[in-house]
Amino acid sequence: MDFEIVNGNITSLETECLVVGIQADATLTPSAREIDQAASGYIQEILNAGDIQGKSGETLLLQKVPGISARRVLLLGLGKADERSDRGSRKQITAAMAVIKSTSISSAVFALDKQVGADDDLYRQVRQLVEWSGSELYNYDETKSKKADPLKLELLGIVIGEDDNEIAEFALLDGVALVNGISTARDLGNLPGNVCTPTYLAEQAVELAEEVDNLTTTIVDEDEMAELGMHSLLSVGHGSEQPSKLIVMEFKGAQADEKPHVLVGKGITFDTGGISLKPGAAMDEMKFDMCGAASVFGAVTALCEMQPEINVVAIIAAAENMPSGHATKPGDIVTTMSGQTVEILNTDAEGRLVLCDALTYAERFEPQTVVDIATLTGACIIALGHHATGLLSNDDDLAAELLAAGDQAADKAWRLPLWDEFQEQLDSNFADIANIGGRAGGTVTAACFLSRFTKSFRWAHLDIAGTAWNSNGKAKGATGRCVPLLTQYLLNQSAGDASDENGDD
Ligand code: BES
Ligand code: MN
Ligand code: ZN
């Protein structure tokens, strides 16, 4: 499926389906009016008959509209003009794509008069239209014997005034890169734990580096991790037959001497809880416990396509958390790479155990910033539900930049406090730190644990426990959440970005 920018008169567009907007109270948008005039009032007649009111997400597919070249016209409700929002637009694009997918339409063109998204930023509008319509075409059938029928839709166009072509083409390419990044993250997340193991993730990283000139991958195996003193990370995989892996991908888009931004992803390819075994209900969903790693893969995939001027190091801490005779037991104490000792009071709080060593490893890159992404705490779902990613940081500016990137990319995060008051919940009688801090403020104390390993750099933590996947029925599956946020954040940091205030530090 390809996207293209289209100019010119929409009445003479050769397409199988022209999508035009109808505003609330059955009001014609400029594009709908053009079609209506060419069709001698045909559209207005349909509105007068009350077949579509223009409510957000309403659709009506028309065949053989007279006086125009398009074979079909899809009327799409855009709601009230003064109530435009990203959420509304996404719903509208989803509705339009549902109609397009359910027919044999092989080409369609959106003529939405710059009405996409919450504001008038054209780059953002085109990118969102591409990102959201492209994401509607995602289909997972990797592990089904019956594959989905090949997509009928081959071409999606977006009508733009000629003056805006340059920015629109740029936004289109970024949108396509994002769709690919999001799909990569969803594919990895959706794969079952018996396929997507730490070794599989490592192989994917090696393959990606083979395809991209300025991306290199290094795999740190268990022996090397032991030499580095990563006994906390290693303790998580002790109960598993699958060897743990530390996966390091280096993207070089800027000068060699420019310090990198580091992403760190939690890659628990299955989380049984270990000896602190989880209850059985919905335990299958713990295959999604590598979605932090998946979103890092997704962001790297998008970056490789966009090639911004920035250096990025992506670190994935991959392990499988299983119970067995070799598994770590509650009360065991391990020494982290930082030298700090940890009392593992609950083997189900394993994410922080792999992340802490990966964060210490990040120090060697002298990073400008470090952002970790993890399905870390069930408590984050209780605190923020499924719409916002939890954000905690030791740096107010970094937190603000990530929140802004999330808003820009319509992939929202919300900040939680990382106050010292919470730190003492991690006190241990037998080690430097306990790996759990009790039920109160579970997301905060998890981040407090990580903060003990991030003192030497600007760091933020994204808890995607509530946003990384959907548990419901047909929608069950990985969302790709945080690929847009992370990619946007890195684009904003890149040298080529005009809004970058710290461009040359
Ligand atoms: N991967 C889980 C967190 C999780 C649970 C994410 C459910 C999404 C849905 C994590 O490893 C975990 O088990 N955390 C524990 C921590 C507790 C033992 C302090 C939790 O949240 O219950
Ligand atoms: Mn766990
Ligand atoms: Zn986990």
Side-chain angles (χ1 to χ4, degrees), residues 4 8 18 72 100 102 157 202 246 251 265 273 290 293 312 343 358 444:
E4 67 171 1
L18 184 65
R72 304 175 186 80
I100 291 169
S102 69
L246 187 81
F251 173 80
M290 36 57 69
V312 176
E343 184 183 17
V444 178

PDB file of all heavy atoms in Angstrom, residues 4 8 18 72 100 102 157 202 246 251 265 273 290 293 312 343 358 444:
ATOM      1  N   GLU A   4       0.181   8.890  -1.420  1.00  0.00           N
ATOM      2  CA  GLU A   4       0.674   9.953  -2.310  1.00  0.00           C
ATOM      3  C   GLU A   4      -0.041  11.270  -2.033  1.00  0.00           C
ATOM      4  O   GLU A   4      -1.169  11.293  -1.538  1.00  0.00           O
ATOM      5  CB  GLU A   4       0.502   9.552  -3.789  1.00  0.00           C
ATOM      6  CG  GLU A   4      -0.935   9.450  -4.225  1.00  0.00           C
ATOM      7  CD  GLU A   4      -1.082   9.272  -5.742  1.00  0.00           C
ATOM      8  OE1 GLU A   4      -0.066   9.218  -6.441  1.00  0.00           O
ATOM      9  OE2 GLU A   4      -2.235   9.197  -6.198  1.00  0.00           O
ATOM     10  N   GLY A   8      -4.781  19.470  -7.379  1.00  0.00           N
ATOM     11  CA  GLY A   8      -5.703  19.692  -8.491  1.00  0.00           C
ATOM     12  C   GLY A   8      -7.168  19.619  -8.102  1.00  0.00           C
ATOM     13  O   GLY A   8      -7.524  19.497  -6.936  1.00  0.00           O
ATOM     14  N   LEU A  18     -13.484   8.878  -3.360  1.00  0.00           N
ATOM     15  CA  LEU A  18     -13.095  10.197  -2.872  1.00  0.00           C
ATOM     16  C   LEU A  18     -13.766  10.419  -1.514  1.00  0.00           C
ATOM     17  O   LEU A  18     -14.985  10.323  -1.401  1.00  0.00           O
ATOM     18  CB  LEU A  18     -13.556  11.255  -3.886  1.00  0.00           C
ATOM     19  CG  LEU A  18     -13.151  12.687  -3.602  1.00  0.00           C
ATOM     20  CD1 LEU A  18     -11.637  12.852  -3.675  1.00  0.00           C
ATOM     21  CD2 LEU A  18     -13.819  13.620  -4.618  1.00  0.00           C
ATOM     22  N   ARG A  72     -16.606   6.510  -6.600  1.00  0.00           N
ATOM     23  CA  ARG A  72     -17.464   6.571  -5.414  1.00  0.00           C
ATOM     24  C   ARG A  72     -17.107   7.814  -4.625  1.00  0.00           C
ATOM     25  O   ARG A  72     -15.991   8.313  -4.714  1.00  0.00           O
ATOM     26  CB  ARG A  72     -17.252   5.374  -4.487  1.00  0.00           C
ATOM     27  CG  ARG A  72     -17.430   4.012  -5.119  1.00  0.00           C
ATOM     28  CD  ARG A  72     -17.052   2.952  -4.100  1.00  0.00           C
ATOM     29  NE  ARG A  72     -17.063   1.608  -4.642  1.00  0.00           N
ATOM     30  CZ  ARG A  72     -16.068   1.091  -5.365  1.00  0.00           C
ATOM     31  NH1 ARG A  72     -15.014   1.812  -5.648  1.00  0.00           N
ATOM     32  NH2 ARG A  72     -16.144  -0.154  -5.809  1.00  0.00           N
ATOM     33  N   ILE A 100     -13.670   1.565   3.688  1.00  0.00           N
ATOM     34  CA  ILE A 100     -12.753   1.268   2.576  1.00  0.00           C
ATOM     35  C   ILE A 100     -12.288  -0.190   2.634  1.00  0.00           C
ATOM     36  O   ILE A 100     -12.235  -0.881   1.615  1.00  0.00           O
ATOM     37  CB  ILE A 100     -11.557   2.259   2.601  1.00  0.00           C
ATOM     38  CG1 ILE A 100     -12.058   3.662   2.230  1.00  0.00           C
ATOM     39  CG2 ILE A 100     -10.441   1.805   1.670  1.00  0.00           C
ATOM     40  CD1 ILE A 100     -11.051   4.774   2.460  1.00  0.00           C
ATOM     41  N   SER A 102     -13.838  -2.697   3.918  1.00  0.00           N
ATOM     42  CA  SER A 102     -14.913  -3.678   3.737  1.00  0.00           C
ATOM     43  C   SER A 102     -15.371  -3.773   2.285  1.00  0.00           C
ATOM     44  O   SER A 102     -16.254  -4.555   1.954  1.00  0.00           O
ATOM     45  CB  SER A 102     -16.102  -3.316   4.640  1.00  0.00           C
ATOM     46  OG  SER A 102     -16.693  -2.122   4.157  1.00  0.00           O
ATOM     47  N   GLY A 157      -4.470   8.501  -1.404  1.00  0.00           N
ATOM     48  CA  GLY A 157      -4.022   9.853  -1.726  1.00  0.00           C
ATOM     49  C   GLY A 157      -4.521  10.858  -0.705  1.00  0.00           C
ATOM     50  O   GLY A 157      -5.512  10.621  -0.002  1.00  0.00           O
ATOM     51  N   ALA A 202      17.152 -10.631  19.855  1.00  0.00           N
ATOM     52  CA  ALA A 202      18.540 -10.339  19.467  1.00  0.00           C
ATOM     53  C   ALA A 202      18.719 -10.545  17.960  1.00  0.00           C
ATOM     54  O   ALA A 202      19.344  -9.725  17.276  1.00  0.00           O
ATOM     55  CB  ALA A 202      19.499 -11.228  20.256  1.00  0.00           C
ATOM     56  N   LEU A 246      21.456  -8.881  26.405  1.00  0.00           N
ATOM     57  CA  LEU A 246      21.441  -7.420  26.396  1.00  0.00           C
ATOM     58  C   LEU A 246      21.721  -7.012  24.956  1.00  0.00           C
ATOM     59  O   LEU A 246      22.763  -7.350  24.401  1.00  0.00           O
ATOM     60  CB  LEU A 246      22.509  -6.848  27.335  1.00  0.00           C
ATOM     61  CG  LEU A 246      22.432  -5.327  27.499  1.00  0.00           C
ATOM     62  CD1 LEU A 246      21.341  -4.955  28.509  1.00  0.00           C
ATOM     63  CD2 LEU A 246      23.765  -4.743  27.960  1.00  0.00           C
ATOM     64  N   PHE A 251      22.479   3.856  16.456  1.00  0.00           N
ATOM     65  CA  PHE A 251      22.114   4.582  15.239  1.00  0.00           C
ATOM     66  C   PHE A 251      22.968   5.846  15.166  1.00  0.00           C
ATOM     67  O   PHE A 251      22.938   6.675  16.076  1.00  0.00           O
ATOM     68  CB  PHE A 251      20.622   4.945  15.265  1.00  0.00           C
ATOM     69  CG  PHE A 251      20.205   5.835  14.133  1.00  0.00           C
ATOM     70  CD1 PHE A 251      19.961   5.320  12.872  1.00  0.00           C
ATOM     71  CD2 PHE A 251      20.065   7.209  14.328  1.00  0.00           C
ATOM     72  CE1 PHE A 251      19.586   6.154  11.813  1.00  0.00           C
ATOM     73  CE2 PHE A 251      19.686   8.045  13.282  1.00  0.00           C
ATOM     74  CZ  PHE A 251      19.450   7.511  12.024  1.00  0.00           C
ATOM     75  N   GLY A 265      14.776  -0.421  26.798  1.00  0.00           N
ATOM     76  CA  GLY A 265      13.475  -1.091  26.788  1.00  0.00           C
ATOM     77  C   GLY A 265      13.454  -2.347  27.653  1.00  0.00           C
ATOM     78  O   GLY A 265      14.386  -3.151  27.601  1.00  0.00           O
ATOM     79  N   GLY A 273       6.025 -14.217  36.702  1.00  0.00           N
ATOM     80  CA  GLY A 273       6.198 -13.781  38.089  1.00  0.00           C
ATOM     81  C   GLY A 273       7.366 -14.508  38.751  1.00  0.00           C
ATOM     82  O   GLY A 273       7.859 -14.083  39.783  1.00  0.00           O
ATOM     83  N   MET A 290       7.269  -7.519  26.936  1.00  0.00           N
ATOM     84  CA  MET A 290       8.445  -7.005  26.198  1.00  0.00           C
ATOM     85  C   MET A 290       8.039  -5.824  25.311  1.00  0.00           C
ATOM     86  O   MET A 290       8.749  -5.460  24.375  1.00  0.00           O
ATOM     87  CB  MET A 290       9.124  -8.105  25.362  1.00  0.00           C
ATOM     88  CG  MET A 290       8.242  -9.146  24.721  1.00  0.00           C
ATOM     89  SD  MET A 290       6.990  -8.442  23.636  1.00  0.00           S
ATOM     90  CE  MET A 290       8.080  -7.864  22.341  1.00  0.00           C
ATOM     91  N   ALA A 293      10.546  -3.022  25.015  1.00  0.00           N
ATOM     92  CA  ALA A 293      11.566  -3.364  24.020  1.00  0.00           C
ATOM     93  C   ALA A 293      11.007  -3.197  22.608  1.00  0.00           C
ATOM     94  O   ALA A 293      11.675  -2.668  21.707  1.00  0.00           O
ATOM     95  CB  ALA A 293      12.044  -4.795  24.230  1.00  0.00           C
ATOM     96  N   VAL A 312      21.665   7.849  18.424  1.00  0.00           N
ATOM     97  CA  VAL A 312      20.784   7.178  19.380  1.00  0.00           C
ATOM     98  C   VAL A 312      21.348   5.803  19.707  1.00  0.00           C
ATOM     99  O   VAL A 312      21.776   5.072  18.803  1.00  0.00           O
ATOM    100  CB  VAL A 312      19.353   7.013  18.808  1.00  0.00           C
ATOM    101  CG1 VAL A 312      18.468   6.228  19.762  1.00  0.00           C
ATOM    102  CG2 VAL A 312      18.733   8.371  18.516  1.00  0.00           C
ATOM    103  N   GLU A 343      17.771  -6.711  47.620  1.00  0.00           N
ATOM    104  CA  GLU A 343      17.049  -7.844  48.189  1.00  0.00           C
ATOM    105  C   GLU A 343      15.790  -8.073  47.344  1.00  0.00           C
ATOM    106  O   GLU A 343      14.924  -7.188  47.255  1.00  0.00           O
ATOM    107  CB  GLU A 343      16.661  -7.565  49.644  1.00  0.00           C
ATOM    108  CG  GLU A 343      15.992  -8.770  50.293  1.00  0.00           C
ATOM    109  CD  GLU A 343      15.511  -8.511  51.724  1.00  0.00           C
ATOM    110  OE1 GLU A 343      15.401  -7.332  52.120  1.00  0.00           O
ATOM    111  OE2 GLU A 343      15.224  -9.495  52.429  1.00  0.00           O
ATOM    112  N   ALA A 358      20.797  -2.425  32.880  1.00  0.00           N
ATOM    113  CA  ALA A 358      20.850  -1.812  31.548  1.00  0.00           C
ATOM    114  C   ALA A 358      21.093  -0.303  31.678  1.00  0.00           C
ATOM    115  O   ALA A 358      21.811   0.300  30.872  1.00  0.00           O
ATOM    116  CB  ALA A 358      19.554  -2.082  30.785  1.00  0.00           C
ATOM    117  N   VAL A 444       5.347   4.786  41.478  1.00  0.00           N
ATOM    118  CA  VAL A 444       6.372   5.738  41.933  1.00  0.00           C
ATOM    119  C   VAL A 444       7.545   4.997  42.569  1.00  0.00           C
ATOM    120  O   VAL A 444       8.708   5.298  42.271  1.00  0.00           O
ATOM    121  CB  VAL A 444       5.769   6.747  42.938  1.00  0.00           C
ATOM    122  CG1 VAL A 444       6.850   7.699  43.444  1.00  0.00           C
ATOM    123  CG2 VAL A 444       4.628   7.520  42.293  1.00  0.00           C
TER     124      VAL A 444
END
